[in-house]
Amino acid sequence: MDPVFVLVDVNNFYASCEQFFNPSLRRRPLIVLSNNNGCVITRSEEAKALGIKMGTPLFKIQHLVEEYDVQAYSSNYELYGDMSQRVMGTLQEFTPAVEIYSIDEAFMELDGGSAKSLRSLGLEIQQKVYRWTGVPVSIGMAETKTLAKVANRIAKKSEKTAGVLDLTHSPYQEKALERTPVEEVWGIGRAYSKLLKDEGISMALALRDANLRWVRKQMTVVGARIVMELRGISCLALEACPPPKKSITCSRTFGIHIESLSEIREAVAVYTTRVAERLRRAGLAASVITGFIQTDRFHNGPQYQNAATRSLVYPTDAGQELLDSALKALERIFQPGYKYRKAGVLLSGLVPADQLTTRMYDDTRWERFRQVMEAVDYINRKYGRDTIRFATADPNGRWKTKFQRCSPHYTTRLSDVPIIH
Amino acid sequence: MGEDLRAGVEIDANVVGTCGMDRSTKLLRPLFMSRVPAGFPSPAEDYVESRIDLNRDLILHPLATYYARIEGDSMVGVDIPDGSIVAFDCTVETKDGDIVIARVEDQMVCKILREGTEGGVWLEPANSDYKPIIITEEMDFQVIGQVLFSVKWHSKHHGPRFRPGRCQ
């Protein structure tokens, strides 16, 4: 029987996690900020209604926060990571064929021939996830992944669908494609959408009906596949997660023996910056970071070597996040009293970075942000660390301290479990 | 330097990547490069089962089971005193008489679920000092899960940094 693809994604995932364990946050404007630079990475519906955009730094919306009593939290990745596992695990109760696409999105492949109507199955999935994990999801179903994403997007926005839309072989497909701008089609980034719009193709329906040979020429086989998928011909199979194929390492033997933690930290910081650069140049993000240190084998002193590995809940290519993790790893293994000769940093669990960026921010903003990040890193390397830091708009430096207001780690620390009367 | 330090690092493949579905509860640990003597082989090797683990043995649906701390003595009558840690399971159907975690308006509460024969629903405390919460149609009410078991710490002087219940 023809397979059916289902795209499940959580509505405002981080905000929804916070609201499940702290119900007083429900139906209120709520935002979660990234740890490093205090930019908005999730908004509740009420916060969206205030006009708060993704990626906005806190200081820019401080006036809104105060006026409307917007609840703001730092990201609690321990919590989100655990809740993500629970959501994905719940999906796997329906079928083992689940492709985890990001922390809050997954594709499922179902047998189209089952007796139950697909929509009622979609509602069942939605209900089960909500009961088991407390977070609401939107579900789009169709005969190809790309169409499933179109369906999902409409399901999310349309109250009529109650968050579940089945477009499989549906006469409503044309209307759905008419309503979907090309840049919202999976795989069409900023560059391609500009190209298409210049050709007068602004909606997905026109893309579907475009001349295939022209598409193949202008957008390579990738573009052709997208068009085929929009036509209902599945070209993208459900992918098992690719195992990490490689790693990126930077390590050096010191010119002299180093004994102090502060000096080793500096070395590790430099190595982390270097691997982060290579990571970004390769268009990848890392989910595991390892730090290692060792003494001089040829020296007649006590010997020590150790390594510590940290898995990053959310794969990243951001220099600061990797640095934080690398230094934490180092803290775990550093022992005073040894003459260290070598240290290094290794990144593994590599995934393509563009998969992350389209999910977290809209393309234009994130691309600009990334460019800035890369430029900052380059200048800091050339002229010394922290030549450029994340600046704030307030000259009084009221915002100089990093925003740190993390919610309790409700599911990962016994001391933090929700308190109930 | 011939040796590759990376060889000394154990990375559990389950933890790596965005598809960490089968993440075990074990932590990544650094390994030392030097050899460690393994010890003598045990005659009981074939019979060794993993030890009792309450988390594994008492919780049937780990994906949908959460812990909470009960504050107040509204449930002393069912042996859940102030400070107890409870585990609640969100998969099971609840019925009249079950101890549940529920959301009433903007608060989570732990009470006994009561469903009257005429369709009335209320949340009953297990302590006569407290009044029941009567659920009306207009209220935002949802049963979240059923309490499976509770934990109370009894040792007055010893224990982990965090101990369920008030430290005496």
Side-chain angles (χ1 to χ4, degrees):
Chain A
M1 266 273 110
D2 289 337
V4 172
F5 289 96
V6 181
L7 176 60
V8 180
D9 91 325
V10 185
N11 303 342
N12 311 323
F13 179 51
Y14 300 160
S16 298
C17 289
E18 302 286 355
Q19 288 171 329
F20 176 50
F21 293 100
N22 182 354
S24 70
L25 294 175
R26 282 154 56 90
R27 291 184 300 256
R28 291 172 70 179
L30 161 69
I31 57 176
V32 174
L33 304 166
S34 68
N35 288 332
N36 306 311
N37 45 24
C39 290
V40 175
I41 55 175
T42 200
R43 308 146 298 162
S44 67
E45 291 302 317
E46 293 77 11
K48 284 183 194 172
L50 291 177
I52 298 175
K53 300 256 181 288
M54 275 292 238
T56 318
L58 176 63
F59 70 83
K60 277 201 171 154
I61 48 160
Q62 189 60 29
H63 60 290
L64 284 175
V65 169
E66 279 162 17
E67 193 182 331
Y68 293 96
D69 195 26
V70 178
Q71 301 299 300
Y73 285 91
S74 312
S75 41
N76 185 345
Y77 285 120
E78 269 182 47
L79 175 67
Y80 311 148
D82 180 45
M83 294 307 285
S84 173
Q85 271 195 288
R86 292 171 184 262
V87 169
M88 302 308 173
T90 306
L91 295 181
Q92 292 188 330
E93 294 274 315
F94 291 92
T95 168
V98 174
E99 172 191 333
I100 297 167
Y101 186 63
S102 76
I103 200 171
D104 66 348
E105 280 170 285
F107 282 101
M108 298 166 70
E109 194 174 329
L110 301 172
D111 177 13
S114 63
K116 189 184 283 199
S117 97
L118 284 172
R119 180 178 159 76
S120 66
L121 180 56
L123 287 166
E124 211 185 298
I125 296 173
Q126 189 189 50
Q127 265 303 300
K128 191 164 230 169
V129 172
Y130 186 67
R131 267 189 59 188
W132 286 25
T133 69
V135 298
V137 301
S138 299
I139 296 183
M141 310 162 99
E143 57 265 43
T144 70
K145 274 177 154 183
T146 308
L147 284 173
K149 195 148 216 288
V150 170
N152 177 287
R153 184 181 160 270
I154 294 175
K156 201 182 271 292
K157 295 179 183 231
S158 153
E159 278 201 29
K160 217 170 31 158
T161 61
V164 178
L165 179 60
D166 174 24
L167 280 184
T168 318
H169 304 302
S170 160
Y172 185 64
Q173 263 187 31
E174 282 225 354
K175 246 195 168 165
L177 292 173
E178 241 172 24
R179 286 168 53 179
T180 307
V182 283
E183 62 266 21
E184 298 286 346
V185 174
W186 194 37
I188 304 289
R190 210 162 52 108
Y192 280 163
S193 73
K194 181 171 189 310
L195 171 82
L196 290 168
K197 286 186 172 152
D198 288 345
E199 280 294 309
I201 299 173
S202 60
M203 294 297 165
L205 184 62
L207 176 59
R208 182 196 76 172
D209 297 339
N211 182 293
L212 193 61
R213 206 175 286 149
W214 178 85
V215 170
R216 177 78 176 75
K217 188 156 173 239
Q218 297 293 328
M219 293 167 45
T220 79
V221 64
V222 170
R225 275 198 203 115
I226 294 173
V227 172
M228 294 300 278
E229 286 245 319
L230 287 174
R231 293 181 186 177
I233 297 155
S234 173
C235 305
L236 302 168
L238 204 76
E239 279 170 38
C241 292
K245 289 192 182 94
K246 48 190 173 166
S247 56
I248 299 177
T249 310
C250 176
S251 74
R252 294 283 185 275
T253 305
F254 308 137
I256 48 162
H257 295 130
I258 291 184
E259 291 187 55
S260 72
L261 176 60
S262 59
E263 282 175 281
I264 298 214
R265 276 171 63 94
E266 280 179 345
V268 166
V270 171
Y271 304 158
T272 308
T273 309
R274 297 219 181 118
V275 292
E277 278 177 71
R278 282 159 57 189
L279 188 69
R280 286 192 289 272
R281 221 180 302 145
L284 298 168
S287 38
V288 181
I289 187 165
T290 304
F292 49 89
I293 51 176
Q294 65 175 119
T295 50
D296 189 347
R297 268 188 325 165
F298 304 107
H299 185 257
N300 281 332
Q303 295 293 320
Y304 175 76
Q305 50 201 350
N306 208 346
T309 302
R310 294 178 64 83
S311 84
L312 304 156
V313 168
Y314 199 70
T316 180
D317 63 355
Q320 191 59 48
E321 283 176 72
L322 291 168
L323 182 58
D324 287 345
S325 268
L327 292 177
K328 283 198 186 112
L330 178 63
E331 307 269 332
R332 265 168 64 188
I333 53 179
F334 177 83
Q335 294 287 337
Y338 291 99
K339 296 188 192 311
Y340 294 97
R341 196 72 205 281
K342 182 173 178 173
V345 172
L346 180 152
L347 301 179
S348 52
L350 307 180
V351 296
D354 57 3
Q355 284 183 4
L356 304 173
T357 57
T358 27
R359 283 195 297 285
M360 262 183 76
Y361 302 83
D362 70 76
D363 275 351
T364 31
R365 203 162 292 123
W366 182 233
E367 262 191 53
R368 270 209 303 273
F369 181 65
R370 279 173 57 85
Q371 282 167 13
V372 168
M373 252 185 0
E374 280 168 47
V376 166
D377 283 342
Y378 175 80
I379 291 173
N380 282 339
R381 264 196 334 275
K382 196 162 179 188
Y383 295 100
R385 214 173 332 142
D386 289 346
T387 302
I388 297 185
R389 273 191 265 219
F390 283 105
T392 65
D394 189 331
N396 295 330
R398 212 174 119 205
W399 308 108
K400 261 208 177 111
T401 48
K402 275 198 294 194
F403 186 81
Q404 275 302 335
R405 187 183 161 209
C406 200
S407 57
H409 300 83
Y410 298 111
T411 62
T412 53
R413 299 188 194 180
L414 197 56
S415 53
D416 284 13
V417 297
I419 296 172
I420 295 180
H421 289 89
Chain B
M1 280 249 182
E3 61 188 2
D4 183 356
L5 277 179
R6 281 171 289 176
V9 173
E10 182 183 75
I11 298 179
D12 184 341
N14 287 335
V15 181
V16 165
T18 55
C19 61
M21 271 328 302
D22 187 22
R23 282 198 208 177
S24 40
T25 52
K26 59 181 169 181
L27 289 171
L28 297 175
R29 292 184 303 275
L31 287 184
F32 287 94
M33 285 301 293
S34 57
R35 282 186 217 195
V36 178
F40 64 90
S42 159
E45 234 174 69
D46 289 336
Y47 297 92
V48 172
E49 296 290 321
S50 43
R51 296 193 185 124
I52 292 174
D53 174 354
L54 289 186
N55 218 45
R56 185 197 66 218
D57 299 336
L58 296 183
I59 293 178
L60 297 175
H61 305 109
L63 289 174
T65 304
Y66 304 88
Y67 288 100
R69 178 152 48 113
I70 303 301
E71 261 190 15
D73 50 5
S74 66
M75 297 298 274
V76 288
V78 287
D79 298 314
I80 302 180
D82 176 53
S84 306
I85 294 285
V86 298
F88 61 97
D89 183 332
C90 301
T91 67
V92 296
E93 293 292 334
T94 50
K95 55 189 199 300
D96 179 62
D98 287 342
I99 302 173
V100 300
I101 302 291
R103 190 190 68 243
V104 182
E105 300 296 352
D106 287 338
Q107 257 205 333
M108 298 246 253
V109 298
C110 175
K111 298 284 176 280
I112 302 170
L113 177 68
R114 301 308 313 268
E115 290 166 342
T117 42
E118 273 142 47
V121 175
W122 66 100
L123 298 175
E124 201 174 76
N127 180 338
S128 50
D129 289 346
Y130 291 77
K131 286 205 293 274
I133 305 170
I134 303 183
I135 306 299
T136 61
E137 290 238 338
E138 313 86 55
M139 286 167 99
D140 180 12
F141 166 73
Q142 191 192 341
V143 174
I144 306 232
Q146 184 183 27
V147 172
L148 301 175
F149 62 88
S150 60
V151 177
K152 183 180 179 353
W153 194 261
H154 294 277
S155 167
K156 289 197 172 68
H157 306 293
H158 304 289
R161 212 164 14 148
F162 180 79
R163 305 167 206 182
R166 298 259 172 88
C167 295
Q168 301 300 337

